[in-house]
Amino acid sequence: MKKFDSLSEKEILALAISLEEEDERVYADFAEGLRDDFPASAAVFDAMRADETGHRQRLLPCIKNNSEITFLSFGDRM
């Protein structure tokens, strides 16, 4: 396994996209498990999943178009 600081920009983007996909699945699973008994809590996880979907969708064009990448500082918004 490569060390994070040795990854290329494309590899970092691919990692970020895969982590967003994983978070989407986790939040969807939580929402589904809570939906019958705790619909309000399920709605929170549905919203969190939607946020992760948006993050992934904003990252995908960067890797597909071989765009120049601008890294943000913690707290900056994409």
Side-chain angles (χ1 to χ4, degrees):
M1 175 178 267
K2 284 179 140 181
K3 290 186 175 187
F4 185 79
D5 61 359
S6 71
L7 297 176
S8 70
E9 290 178 348
K10 271 203 176 251
E11 290 171 322
I12 292 169
L13 274 172
L15 176 61
I17 290 166
S18 69
L19 291 172
E20 297 295 348
E21 290 170 345
E22 182 180 346
D23 291 345
E24 285 178 77
R25 286 189 296 271
V26 168
Y27 294 147
D29 288 347
F30 285 158
E32 195 57 36
L34 293 168
R35 196 166 318 283
D36 290 341
D37 296 326
F38 304 98
S41 295
V44 170
F45 282 103
D46 285 333
M48 292 169 65
R49 181 195 47 78
D51 285 343
E52 300 305 319
T53 300
H55 299 160
R56 181 179 50 80
Q57 289 172 341
R58 285 192 297 275
L59 290 170
L60 283 172
C62 295
I63 203 164
K64 288 180 180 174
N65 298 330
N66 205 15
S67 305
E68 184 174 319
I69 302 160
T70 302
F71 289 98
L72 304 175
S73 297
F74 181 77
D76 289 346
R77 299 202 54 109
M78 293 183 82

XYZ file of all heavy atoms in Angstrom:
621
model
N 0.841 -1.174 0.000
C 0.000 0.000 0.000
C 0.890 1.242 0.000
O 1.858 1.318 0.743
C -0.912 -0.011 1.221
C -1.731 1.242 1.353
S -2.839 1.196 2.767
C -4.283 0.551 1.970
N 0.518 2.219 -0.830
C 1.282 3.457 -0.918
C 0.996 4.360 0.276
O -0.105 4.342 0.817
C 0.868 4.228 -2.172
C 1.407 3.693 -3.452
C 0.877 4.546 -4.590
C 1.922 4.796 -5.618
N 1.410 5.637 -6.714
N 1.970 5.165 0.631
C 1.748 6.185 1.646
C 0.971 7.333 1.003
O 1.151 7.634 -0.175
C 3.072 6.699 2.192
C 3.808 5.690 3.029
C 5.032 6.309 3.643
C 5.697 5.320 4.577
N 6.780 5.942 5.319
N 0.134 7.964 1.788
C -0.716 9.034 1.264
C 0.112 10.123 0.582
O -0.248 10.593 -0.489
C -1.575 9.643 2.386
C -2.545 10.659 1.889
C -3.736 10.278 1.286
C -2.263 12.009 2.005
C -4.630 11.213 0.810
C -3.154 12.958 1.531
C -4.343 12.566 0.931
N 1.232 10.497 1.168
C 2.024 11.601 0.607
C 2.737 11.226 -0.692
O 3.322 12.081 -1.341
C 2.999 12.180 1.626
C 4.036 11.183 2.130
O 4.006 10.003 1.710
O 4.876 11.588 2.943
N 2.662 9.958 -1.085
C 3.264 9.556 -2.357
C 2.228 9.399 -3.469
O 2.574 9.071 -4.599
C 4.036 8.247 -2.181
O 3.142 7.165 -1.985
N 0.963 9.644 -3.171
C -0.094 9.513 -4.167
C -0.070 10.684 -5.136
O 0.207 11.821 -4.754
C -1.463 9.452 -3.494
C -1.731 8.271 -2.568
C -3.093 8.421 -1.902
C -1.642 6.956 -3.316
N -0.422 10.393 -6.378
C -0.563 11.449 -7.376
C -1.894 12.172 -7.153
O -2.759 11.697 -6.402
C -0.542 10.851 -8.783
O -1.729 10.106 -9.025
N -2.074 13.297 -7.817
C -3.338 14.037 -7.687
C -4.512 13.174 -8.134
O -5.566 13.174 -7.496
C -3.282 15.330 -8.497
C -2.346 16.353 -7.902
C -2.249 17.618 -8.730
O -2.724 17.640 -9.887
O -1.677 18.591 -8.221
N -4.347 12.438 -9.241
C -5.435 11.565 -9.715
C -5.747 10.467 -8.700
O -6.907 10.126 -8.496
C -5.077 10.950 -11.058
C -5.500 11.794 -12.216
C -5.639 10.912 -13.435
C -6.154 11.733 -14.555
N -7.428 11.537 -14.996
N -4.724 9.922 -8.080
C -4.953 8.880 -7.075
C -5.665 9.445 -5.856
O -6.539 8.780 -5.281
C -3.631 8.244 -6.668
C -3.016 7.384 -7.758
C -1.607 6.937 -7.451
O -0.818 7.738 -6.877
O -1.279 5.788 -7.795
N -5.335 10.654 -5.461
C -6.011 11.296 -4.340
C -7.470 11.544 -4.685
O -8.366 11.293 -3.872
C -5.294 12.590 -3.918
C -3.928 12.258 -3.313
C -6.140 13.401 -2.937
C -3.022 13.452 -3.095
N -7.727 12.016 -5.902
C -9.110 12.219 -6.338
C -9.880 10.905 -6.352
O -11.028 10.841 -5.898
C -9.153 12.838 -7.732
C -9.066 14.338 -7.797
C -8.916 14.805 -9.238
C -10.284 14.977 -7.161
N -9.269 9.857 -6.880
C -9.934 8.556 -6.919
C -10.246 8.063 -5.511
O -11.333 7.524 -5.256
C -9.070 7.544 -7.666
N -9.322 8.259 -4.591
C -9.545 7.883 -3.195
C -10.700 8.686 -2.605
O -11.590 8.131 -1.958
C -8.275 8.103 -2.382
C -8.369 7.852 -0.882
C -8.757 6.412 -0.586
C -7.053 8.220 -0.208
N -10.708 9.993 -2.843
C -11.783 10.840 -2.314
C -13.133 10.405 -2.863
O -14.121 10.317 -2.123
C -11.507 12.297 -2.659
N -13.189 10.098 -4.153
C -14.450 9.663 -4.767
C -14.903 8.348 -4.161
O -16.082 8.181 -3.818
C -14.293 9.558 -6.295
C -14.155 10.968 -6.893
C -15.476 8.817 -6.925
C -13.664 10.998 -8.331
N -13.992 7.405 -3.983
C -14.385 6.116 -3.408
C -14.858 6.269 -1.964
O -15.789 5.581 -1.532
C -13.253 5.092 -3.515
O -12.187 5.423 -2.672
N -14.242 7.179 -1.219
C -14.688 7.407 0.164
C -16.071 8.044 0.205
O -16.893 7.710 1.073
C -13.666 8.259 0.911
C -12.331 7.567 1.184
C -11.329 8.561 1.762
C -12.504 6.367 2.092
N -16.357 8.946 -0.727
C -17.700 9.539 -0.802
C -18.733 8.460 -1.124
O -19.823 8.429 -0.541
C -17.751 10.651 -1.853
C -16.857 11.838 -1.578
C -17.220 12.645 -0.350
O -18.304 12.464 0.232
O -16.388 13.486 0.048
N -18.394 7.553 -2.041
C -19.306 6.454 -2.378
C -19.559 5.555 -1.179
O -20.690 5.138 -0.925
C -18.740 5.635 -3.535
C -18.744 6.367 -4.853
C -17.972 5.653 -5.943
O -17.181 4.723 -5.631
O -18.144 6.037 -7.112
N -18.506 5.260 -0.444
C -18.654 4.423 0.754
C -19.545 5.107 1.783
O -20.432 4.475 2.377
C -17.286 4.124 1.356
C -17.346 3.232 2.577
C -15.971 2.937 3.161
O -14.949 3.194 2.500
O -15.939 2.442 4.289
N -19.340 6.406 1.987
C -20.179 7.148 2.935
C -21.638 7.145 2.488
O -22.540 6.995 3.316
C -19.678 8.584 3.093
C -18.343 8.659 3.816
O -17.941 7.661 4.443
O -17.706 9.726 3.741
N -21.872 7.280 1.181
C -23.244 7.216 0.660
C -23.899 5.892 1.055
O -25.049 5.878 1.515
C -23.251 7.310 -0.869
C -23.000 8.675 -1.434
C -22.980 8.634 -2.944
O -24.076 8.569 -3.549
O -21.877 8.658 -3.529
N -23.179 4.799 0.850
C -23.737 3.479 1.169
C -23.999 3.320 2.663
O -25.041 2.797 3.076
C -22.793 2.371 0.680
C -22.806 2.171 -0.822
C -22.021 0.922 -1.227
N -20.610 1.027 -0.910
C -19.693 1.547 -1.724
N -20.048 2.023 -2.881
N -18.424 1.588 -1.359
N -23.076 3.773 3.482
C -23.241 3.654 4.938
C -24.468 4.429 5.393
O -25.313 3.906 6.139
C -21.972 4.135 5.673
C -22.222 4.298 7.162
C -20.818 3.164 5.437
N -24.598 5.677 4.942
C -25.740 6.496 5.350
C -27.057 5.912 4.830
O -28.073 5.944 5.534
C -25.576 7.939 4.888
C -24.424 8.657 5.570
C -23.681 9.622 4.890
C -24.061 8.381 6.889
C -22.628 10.285 5.516
C -23.012 9.030 7.506
C -22.300 9.979 6.813
O -21.259 10.638 7.422
N -27.048 5.378 3.621
C -28.257 4.751 3.082
C -28.646 3.533 3.916
O -29.837 3.326 4.207
C -28.047 4.360 1.625
N -27.664 2.736 4.325
C -27.948 1.565 5.163
C -28.513 1.977 6.523
O -29.470 1.366 7.013
C -26.688 0.724 5.369
C -26.255 -0.030 4.122
O -27.053 -0.116 3.163
O -25.103 -0.513 4.120
N -27.920 3.009 7.129
C -28.452 3.495 8.408
C -29.893 3.974 8.245
O -30.767 3.656 9.059
C -27.608 4.641 8.964
C -26.291 4.230 9.561
C -25.267 5.146 9.666
C -26.063 2.947 10.025
C -24.040 4.797 10.223
C -24.851 2.575 10.586
C -23.835 3.505 10.678
N -30.138 4.748 7.200
C -31.491 5.283 6.966
C -32.491 4.149 6.807
O -33.578 4.186 7.400
C -31.497 6.187 5.735
N -32.120 3.159 6.016
C -33.038 2.045 5.786
C -33.330 1.291 7.082
O -34.464 0.908 7.353
C -32.461 1.098 4.729
C -33.467 0.143 4.170
C -34.676 0.836 3.566
O -34.525 1.907 2.962
O -35.803 0.299 3.727
N -32.321 1.091 7.911
C -32.515 0.382 9.171
C -33.372 1.145 10.170
O -34.014 0.541 11.026
N -33.385 2.453 10.074
C -34.137 3.288 11.017
C -35.528 3.683 10.521
O -36.368 4.112 11.309
C -33.345 4.574 11.299
C -32.036 4.406 12.049
C -31.234 5.704 12.002
C -32.300 3.994 13.489
N -35.757 3.558 9.222
C -36.936 4.141 8.594
C -38.260 3.754 9.251
O -39.104 4.607 9.499
C -36.962 3.800 7.104
C -37.920 4.686 6.333
C -37.737 4.623 4.846
N -36.376 4.620 4.358
C -35.574 5.694 4.271
N -35.998 6.858 4.699
N -34.358 5.577 3.788
N -38.474 2.490 9.560
C -39.762 2.048 10.107
C -40.041 2.611 11.497
O -41.147 3.082 11.776
C -39.837 0.517 10.162
C -39.936 -0.102 8.780
O -40.303 0.609 7.816
O -39.623 -1.308 8.663
N -39.043 2.574 12.373
C -39.260 2.970 13.765
C -38.861 4.414 14.062
O -39.377 5.012 15.015
C -38.487 2.039 14.705
C -38.991 0.603 14.639
O -40.205 0.403 14.450
O -38.153 -0.315 14.768
N -37.954 4.946 13.285
C -37.440 6.298 13.539
C -37.338 7.086 12.233
O -36.240 7.375 11.738
C -36.066 6.227 14.222
C -36.065 5.435 15.495
C -35.643 4.116 15.508
C -36.495 6.014 16.682
C -35.641 3.377 16.674
C -36.501 5.292 17.867
C -36.080 3.957 17.864
N -38.479 7.420 11.640
C -38.457 8.066 10.326
C -37.733 9.412 10.311
O -37.084 9.741 9.309
C -39.940 8.221 9.959
C -40.693 8.030 11.221
C -39.840 7.199 12.123
N -37.792 10.162 11.389
C -37.095 11.453 11.418
C -35.581 11.244 11.396
O -34.848 11.977 10.709
C -37.511 12.271 12.638
N -35.105 10.265 12.124
C -33.674 9.955 12.103
C -33.256 9.439 10.733
O -32.180 9.790 10.223
C -33.331 8.915 13.173
O -33.562 9.448 14.463
N -34.100 8.625 10.127
C -33.811 8.125 8.779
C -33.692 9.289 7.798
O -32.812 9.285 6.929
C -34.902 7.158 8.329
N -34.537 10.295 7.960
C -34.487 11.460 7.078
C -33.166 12.209 7.210
O -32.629 12.726 6.222
C -35.663 12.387 7.360
N -32.628 12.259 8.422
C -31.323 12.904 8.633
C -30.247 12.144 7.857
O -29.409 12.751 7.169
C -30.982 12.974 10.133
C -29.540 13.415 10.344
C -31.938 13.906 10.857
N -30.268 10.813 7.941
C -29.275 10.025 7.211
C -29.486 10.114 5.702
O -28.513 10.098 4.938
C -29.264 8.570 7.692
C -28.546 8.399 8.995
C -29.242 8.233 10.181
C -27.161 8.427 9.043
C -28.577 8.091 11.385
C -26.479 8.288 10.245
C -27.188 8.119 11.418
N -30.745 10.228 5.264
C -31.001 10.434 3.836
C -30.388 11.752 3.366
O -29.798 11.817 2.280
C -32.510 10.445 3.554
C -33.142 9.062 3.602
O -32.433 8.065 3.339
O -34.354 8.987 3.896
N -30.503 12.784 4.176
C -29.919 14.086 3.822
C -28.395 14.007 3.809
O -27.743 14.593 2.926
C -30.396 15.154 4.803
N -27.836 13.273 4.754
C -26.375 13.109 4.790
C -25.901 12.350 3.552
O -24.873 12.692 2.949
C -25.950 12.399 6.074
C -26.171 13.255 7.317
S -25.992 12.367 8.871
C -24.272 11.914 8.846
N -26.660 11.329 3.148
C -26.326 10.589 1.932
C -26.367 11.509 0.723
O -25.467 11.481 -0.128
C -27.291 9.413 1.723
C -26.967 8.598 0.470
C -28.125 7.678 0.063
N -29.414 8.328 0.050
C -29.862 9.141 -0.919
N -29.099 9.434 -1.946
N -31.064 9.673 -0.848
N -27.381 12.345 0.652
C -27.494 13.284 -0.469
C -26.301 14.244 -0.508
O -25.804 14.581 -1.591
C -28.806 14.054 -0.379
N -25.835 14.673 0.660
C -24.642 15.528 0.714
C -23.433 14.810 0.125
O -22.666 15.392 -0.649
C -24.322 15.947 2.151
C -25.248 17.006 2.694
O -25.955 17.671 1.898
O -25.272 17.175 3.930
N -23.256 13.550 0.501
C -22.121 12.777 -0.008
C -22.231 12.580 -1.513
O -21.216 12.634 -2.224
C -22.019 11.426 0.711
C -21.816 11.517 2.203
C -20.625 12.357 2.613
O -19.568 12.277 1.973
O -20.749 13.111 3.594
N -23.446 12.380 -2.005
C -23.660 12.262 -3.449
C -23.217 13.547 -4.146
O -22.545 13.495 -5.182
C -25.142 11.969 -3.755
O -25.510 10.742 -3.123
C -25.397 11.870 -5.246
N -23.572 14.686 -3.568
C -23.166 15.971 -4.136
C -21.657 16.138 -4.139
O -21.083 16.627 -5.124
N -21.008 15.726 -3.069
C -19.545 15.806 -3.002
C -18.924 14.978 -4.132
O -18.028 15.438 -4.843
C -19.010 15.265 -1.673
C -19.496 16.002 -0.478
N -19.466 15.441 0.776
C -20.016 17.248 -0.323
C -19.962 16.312 1.653
N -20.295 17.413 1.005
N -19.425 13.740 -4.286
C -18.893 12.848 -5.318
C -19.121 13.438 -6.706
O -18.219 13.435 -7.556
C -19.538 11.460 -5.208
C -19.034 10.459 -6.229
C -19.689 9.098 -6.057
N -21.124 9.144 -5.975
C -21.947 9.251 -7.021
N -21.468 9.344 -8.235
N -23.256 9.258 -6.842
N -20.300 13.979 -6.930
C -20.613 14.539 -8.246
C -19.734 15.746 -8.577
O -19.429 15.982 -9.746
C -22.095 14.912 -8.325
C -22.978 13.685 -8.378
C -24.452 13.995 -8.274
O -24.840 15.065 -7.815
N -25.280 13.060 -8.694
N -19.323 16.496 -7.571
C -18.430 17.626 -7.818
C -16.992 17.171 -8.077
O -16.231 17.851 -8.759
C -18.479 18.608 -6.650
C -19.762 19.425 -6.650
C -19.699 20.592 -5.695
N -19.547 20.216 -4.306
C -20.543 19.900 -3.482
N -21.783 19.890 -3.920
N -20.309 19.593 -2.236
N -16.619 16.026 -7.539
C -15.264 15.508 -7.750
C -15.105 14.801 -9.097
O -14.031 14.856 -9.705
C -14.882 14.536 -6.630
C -14.644 15.145 -5.260
C -14.531 14.041 -4.214
C -13.411 16.023 -5.266
N -16.142 14.136 -9.557
C -16.037 13.334 -10.776
C -15.536 14.105 -11.996
O -14.664 13.606 -12.714
C -17.372 12.651 -11.090
C -17.681 11.421 -10.245
C -19.106 10.948 -10.494
C -16.697 10.306 -10.529
N -16.023 15.306 -12.274
C -15.518 16.013 -13.454
C -14.017 16.296 -13.387
O -13.354 16.332 -14.421
C -16.312 17.319 -13.473
C -17.538 17.036 -12.697
C -17.124 16.031 -11.652
N -13.486 16.479 -12.206
C -12.048 16.741 -12.060
C -11.225 15.570 -12.568
O -10.211 15.764 -13.242
C -11.694 17.008 -10.602
S -12.415 18.499 -9.930
N -11.643 14.374 -12.264
C -10.871 13.200 -12.663
C -11.152 12.845 -14.124
O -10.265 12.413 -14.847
C -11.118 12.012 -11.715
C -9.956 11.046 -11.767
C -12.419 11.334 -11.990
C -9.913 10.061 -10.633
N -12.383 13.081 -14.598
C -12.736 12.747 -15.974
C -12.099 13.708 -16.969
O -11.703 13.314 -18.055
C -14.254 12.759 -16.148
C -14.952 11.599 -15.494
C -16.440 11.666 -15.708
C -17.120 10.490 -15.055
N -18.581 10.599 -15.128
N -12.032 14.988 -16.607
C -11.527 16.003 -17.525
C -10.042 16.269 -17.368
O -9.505 17.144 -18.027
C -12.285 17.315 -17.317
C -13.757 17.156 -17.615
O -14.138 16.347 -18.440
N -14.580 17.928 -16.945
N -9.413 15.539 -16.465
C -7.991 15.750 -16.185
C -7.741 17.220 -15.842
O -6.756 17.818 -16.245
C -7.137 15.310 -17.373
C -5.747 14.935 -16.950
O -5.476 14.735 -15.779
N -4.856 14.845 -17.913
N -8.671 17.800 -15.113
C -8.612 19.210 -14.736
C -7.461 19.475 -13.784
O -6.990 18.588 -13.087
C -9.900 19.631 -14.018
O -11.010 19.345 -14.801
N -7.052 20.732 -13.764
C -6.107 21.140 -12.742
C -6.841 21.111 -11.416
O -8.003 21.494 -11.315
C -5.599 22.547 -13.024
C -4.534 22.982 -12.054
C -3.927 24.317 -12.430
O -3.694 24.546 -13.616
O -3.721 25.118 -11.511
N -6.177 20.686 -10.402
C -6.814 20.495 -9.101
C -6.358 21.594 -8.159
O -5.181 21.899 -8.055
C -6.447 19.119 -8.522
C -6.873 18.022 -9.486
C -7.051 18.913 -7.156
C -6.171 16.723 -9.267
N -7.323 22.196 -7.479
C -7.018 23.174 -6.446
C -7.435 22.552 -5.120
O -8.608 22.239 -4.919
C -7.790 24.473 -6.680
O -7.457 24.964 -7.965
C -7.459 25.486 -5.617
N -6.481 22.344 -4.236
C -6.798 21.779 -2.935
C -7.266 22.869 -2.000
O -6.717 23.974 -1.978
C -5.587 21.027 -2.368
C -5.315 19.768 -3.111
C -4.352 19.715 -4.101
C -6.050 18.623 -2.857
C -4.115 18.545 -4.797
C -5.823 17.459 -3.550
C -4.851 17.420 -4.522
N -8.285 22.576 -1.234
C -8.886 23.532 -0.316
C -8.354 23.309 1.090
O -7.963 22.201 1.440
C -10.407 23.363 -0.312
C -11.088 23.484 -1.669
C -12.571 23.167 -1.520
C -10.894 24.850 -2.247
N -8.387 24.348 1.873
C -8.035 24.229 3.278
C -9.246 23.723 4.045
O -10.380 23.887 3.615
C -7.626 25.595 3.834
O -6.500 26.060 3.177
N -9.001 23.138 5.201
C -10.094 22.663 6.037
C -11.064 23.801 6.286
O -10.671 24.905 6.623
C -9.541 22.136 7.369
C -10.606 21.615 8.275
C -11.162 20.366 8.046
C -11.065 22.381 9.330
C -12.158 19.878 8.867
C -12.057 21.889 10.162
C -12.610 20.642 9.925
N -12.340 23.540 6.087
C -13.365 24.545 6.311
C -13.786 25.267 5.043
O -14.843 25.880 5.019
N -12.977 25.211 3.988
C -13.391 25.810 2.716
C -14.492 24.970 2.114
O -14.592 23.780 2.345
C -12.216 25.876 1.723
C -11.176 26.894 2.119
O -11.463 27.723 3.000
O -10.075 26.846 1.538
N -15.322 25.588 1.292
C -16.413 24.880 0.643
C -16.077 24.687 -0.825
O -15.483 25.533 -1.447
C -17.717 25.645 0.782
C -18.075 25.791 2.265
C -19.501 26.030 2.504
N -20.364 25.059 1.913
C -21.052 24.154 2.587
N -20.928 24.069 3.866
N -21.865 23.340 1.968
N -16.466 23.534 -1.339
C -16.230 23.247 -2.755
C -17.272 23.931 -3.605
O -18.359 24.149 -3.242
C -16.291 21.755 -3.016
C -15.164 21.021 -2.351
S -15.179 19.289 -2.717
C -14.374 19.289 -4.297
